[in-house]
DNA sequence: CTGAAAGCGCTAACAT
DNA sequence: ATGTTAGCGCTTTCAG
């Protein structure tokens, strides 16, 4: 394998194949009109020269890079890892590449978006951080769709994909009530994030319908992390003198897991005997034996699908639809951290033989 | 904020600022010679036009995209998630972007590398999958460094960064022996991967030094996943008639965790009373209360650092060093899945107050 | 179906 | 310090 030149161009290939440079371009463009025989000749020459088409150069004229920016915060939450994986798989299958940006959860995403813009990305998916209206219009003015994943920003032009968090919060409250809980506590996530707010809202709303006062519902922030929630659980339940709530809602699974571990291993509480617990997301870890967490499932695949649909990758010139927000239905998954009331017996998740990937 | 043109170019900015186009380029290039006053004028015009420099266009001439390809398999293993996060953070800080490729663990990475090459990436980091020599030379011939993370390929030109897996395997064996174990089992990972092979080798090697025969050491594959390891543990220990080994080495933490959960919740075994267990990697989850896994720590930060150093991002023209492979030292972390022999008491990890991020 | 030629938006000499 | 000019590697008219 000789080293003719470090990076052969379409001209080099053309020369070797004895054709014009445009012919080379055509040979590599599916569906362009070129004689099959000529294409073969070009491909052969390309192979000899180790030619790899330069997408950077082509995107200069086509105005499409096939790169999608994915902005992530909080990779400590497996939910987002799962999401990243799903996007990566799907986009790769669609011939797109994923450019990753990590930001501190809850911080501004402006800088990341600005950097993404420099790369002329075809779209941006935002799973974390705040989004300024300035960035939104910066993207939209260039025809670049930006979709918020698992969040929305009221009044924003950016579209969002999420599940019905308010409804999910209600489902949890409903389950606790059905299991006979009388007093309640929550570990909340990012106070600025609508996701946490909505789950709290639905939860509280449903409880208030039963005559429970908001002030009776205890609440501590868990920073959306395992460790933060473990600490939160300790401050909520550590004082053995105080009467202890009999139901705890972790606003997401990773926090519910942190809380459960702290409750069991630090406070020696039995779940669900001493205390029932629920989470939200249904991350793969939630079904593991130590947790068997009762939780609300987010329909990740649907959400990813809908995100992709909103970006209209195949119709780049289509005007961007602003501010679309259609929450997807969420569903309660009964496992073992809430005693299952008779009426729900048949709903209990059968995780047997079900791999996490599934 | 009016919409002058969807994407202003440096010419538009130049026109508005009343300067030449090169002046605009200079204004955005740190360290280039331009009067401060003129730069200000340019920046002002750029702001008015919402101008964002087009790095795609600039890389056409500079021959540098500042994009690094990161090829990942097995995102189900938190170890790699952690690695991804670390690379993303560090590279972003260095003004580089990360382009993600996910491949099925153990499969060929050729296609992913080919796609990366089209984007003229400045380097590739490979954390999974096989690497053909053809791809290696394809990259190297173009001056693109490719480094294998947590693996190496004997005889390959690609450099690798990893810890001393053989030594780590020995450390585990040593710990089991010190704790009085007499019979042993392993759950192995990718049989084609040197990482799993080396850990096994070190482990077995050390045991054989004590006169234990290789054939006495039981071994089942766990597919490098939580679920795979849970199944493996069941086949290893499910037969209650058979004498049961008293030490189990999970070739990585996620598998050790899967095994532990299966042993405890399916077979009602006590750890470490009935059976001692060890893992490898020291992922953040390993120190959680349900596991408190005794394991070998991989020095991720050092590994990331060394990977970056091997790529010589700041000296793009430097000839690529071939086949560098200097395993970093690994270290045993004592926790609770192996009874701690008196001599090691002071070594026990104090994870208190230590957040996972840390 | 094919080749010639004109850019895409920017950087990098090269003059001035 | 600044403007002019020639590309970078490709796609896309436009003729033929």
């Amino acid at each position: 394998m000789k080293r003719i030149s470090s990076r052969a161009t379409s001209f080099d290939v053309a020369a070797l194949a004895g054709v014009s440079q445009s012919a080379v371009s055509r040979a590599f463009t599916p569906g362009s009109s070129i004689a099959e025989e000529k294409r073969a000749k070009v491909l052969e020459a390309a192979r000899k020269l180790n030619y790899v088409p330069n997408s950077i150069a082509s995107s200069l004229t086509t105005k499409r890079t096939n790169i999608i920016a994915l902005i992530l915060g909080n990779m400590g939450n497996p939910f987002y890892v799962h999401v990243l994986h799903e996007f990566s798989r799907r986009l790769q299958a669609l011939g797109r590449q994923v450019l990753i940006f990590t930001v501190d959860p809850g911080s501004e995403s402006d800088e990341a978006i600005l950097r993404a813009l420099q790369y002329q990305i075809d779209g941006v998916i935002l799973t974390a951080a705040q989004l300024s209206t300035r960035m939104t219009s910066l993207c939209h003015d260039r025809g670049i769709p930006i979709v918020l994943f698992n969040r929305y920003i009221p009044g924003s032009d950016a579209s969002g994909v999420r599940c019905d968090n308010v409804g999910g919060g209600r489902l949890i409250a409903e389950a606790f009530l059905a299991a006979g809980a009388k007093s309640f506590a929550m570990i909340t996530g990012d106070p600025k994030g609508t996701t946490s707010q909505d789950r709290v809202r639905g939860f509280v709303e449903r409880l208030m319908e039963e005559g429970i006062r908001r002030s009776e519902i205890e609440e501590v922030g868990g920073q959306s992390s395992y460790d933060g929630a473990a600490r939160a659980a300790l401050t909520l339940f550590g004082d053995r003198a105080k009467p202890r709530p009999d139901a705890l809602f972790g606003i997401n699974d990773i926090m519910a897991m942190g809380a459960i571990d702290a409750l069991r291993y630090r406070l020696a509480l039995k779940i669900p005997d001493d205390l029932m617990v629920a989470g939200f997301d249904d991350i793969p870890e939630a079904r593991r034996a130590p947790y068997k967490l009762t939780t609300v499932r987010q329909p990740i695949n649907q959400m990813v699908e809908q995100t992709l649909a909103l970006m209209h990758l195949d119709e780049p010139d289509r005007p961007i639809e602003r501010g679309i927000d259609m929450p997807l239905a969420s569903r309660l998954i009964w496992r073992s951290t809430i005693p299952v009331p008779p009426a729900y017996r048949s709903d209990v998740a059968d995780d047997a033989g079900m791999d996490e990937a599934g």
Side-chain angles (χ1 to χ4, degrees), chain A:
Chain A
M1 185 153 311
K2 68 184 161 211
R3 239 186 96 174
I4 299 179
S5 108
S6 67
R7 301 190 196 202
T9 73
S10 56
F11 281 93
D12 302 330
V13 176
L16 181 59
V19 300
S20 75
Q21 180 272 335
S22 336
V24 177
S25 175
R26 292 189 180 109
F28 282 93
T29 307
S32 71
S33 53
I34 182 175
E36 200 40 65
E37 175 191 10
K38 178 163 287 194
R39 154 172 281 136
K41 212 161 53 174
V42 168
L43 261 28
E44 163 67 7
R47 205 191 45 67
K48 279 204 186 109
L49 294 175
N50 279 333
Y51 169 73
V52 175
N54 183 333
S55 344
I56 292 294
S58 77
S59 63
L60 202 52
T61 38
T62 60
K63 312 265 184 221
R64 326 240 82 235
T65 53
N66 290 326
I67 296 177
I68 305 293
L70 181 54
I71 302 182
L72 292 166
N74 201 2
M75 283 229 238
N77 184 347
F79 174 74
Y80 290 108
V81 173
H82 201 159
V83 164
L84 156 60
H85 194 198
E86 220 38 52
F87 273 119
S88 174
R89 279 182 356 92
R90 304 278 283 105
L91 285 169
Q92 254 173 255
L94 295 170
R96 266 72 180 193
Q97 323 305 134
V98 176
L99 199 60
I100 289 283
F101 295 84
T102 50
V103 302
D104 294 330
S107 66
E108 272 296 336
S109 57
D110 287 23
E111 202 194 305
I113 293 184
L114 237 22
R115 291 175 77 152
L117 246 21
Q118 296 183 202
Y119 282 88
Q120 316 297 115
I121 37 80
D122 292 349
V124 8
I125 301 169
L126 190 77
T127 71
Q130 305 299 306
L131 174 66
S132 64
T133 64
R134 165 132 193 284
M135 286 303 134
T136 310
S137 54
L138 216 50
C139 290
H140 283 182
D141 286 356
R142 311 170 175 240
I144 298 172
I146 163 164
V147 9
L148 306 167
F149 190 89
N150 194 32
R151 61 210 298 98
Y152 71 98
I153 298 175
S156 170
D157 264 0
S159 294
V161 167
R162 59 187 176 103
C163 80
D164 175 11
N165 288 304
V166 174
R170 292 183 65 92
L171 288 176
I172 299 290
E174 189 68 42
F176 280 152
L177 291 166
K182 299 281 180 245
S183 53
F184 307 85
M186 316 179 276
I187 297 180
T188 59
D190 177 9
K192 287 180 301 194
T194 51
T195 305
S196 175
Q197 287 167 8
D198 285 353
R199 292 174 187 178
V200 165
R201 183 145 56 85
F203 183 71
V204 168
E205 203 173 86
R206 181 68 191 83
L207 294 184
M208 288 176 72
E209 288 171 11
E210 298 303 308
I212 291 150
R213 279 191 305 275
R214 167 80 217 220
S215 59
E216 293 173 45
I217 306 171
E218 295 196 63
E219 173 176 355
V220 175
Q223 296 144 115
S224 294
S225 73
Y226 176 94
D227 289 308
R231 278 190 296 269
L234 259 23
T235 85
L236 274 174
F237 297 89
D239 183 355
R240 318 197 65 124
K242 242 177 40 182
R244 129 164 72 73
D246 42 35
L248 172 65
F249 177 25
I251 246 60
N252 62 29
D253 286 351
I254 191 69
M255 290 203 293
M257 288 166 57
I260 287 175
D261 285 344
L263 295 172
R264 281 187 182 147
Y265 293 90
R266 301 288 295 274
L267 303 179
L269 292 171
K270 302 266 175 266
I271 295 160
D273 311 348
D274 296 330
L275 178 69
M276 37 186 122
V277 178
F280 203 120
D281 284 345
D282 195 26
I283 58 178
E285 289 80 352
R287 69 163 78 99
R288 292 186 183 167
Y291 302 103
K292 290 194 170 307
L293 189 62
T294 295
T295 187
V296 170
R297 175 120 85 210
Q298 294 222 63
I300 290 198
N301 289 335
Q302 268 181 64
M303 289 165 70
V304 166
E305 201 64 50
Q306 187 170 321
T307 303
L308 265 19
L310 277 176
M311 295 205 292
H312 292 297
L313 294 178
D314 29 278
E315 301 172 77
D317 298 324
R318 178 180 181 133
I320 292 171
E321 306 146 321
R322 312 287 167 115
I324 293 189
D325 172 49
M326 305 178 311
L328 265 28
S330 43
R331 178 159 89 82
L332 189 73
I333 305 293
W334 283 97
R335 292 204 185 88
S336 309
T337 53
I338 301 181
V340 185
Y344 294 95
R345 285 284 147 76
S346 57
D347 291 1
V348 175
D350 173 23
D351 298 326
M354 199 172 168
D355 270 27
E356 287 187 355

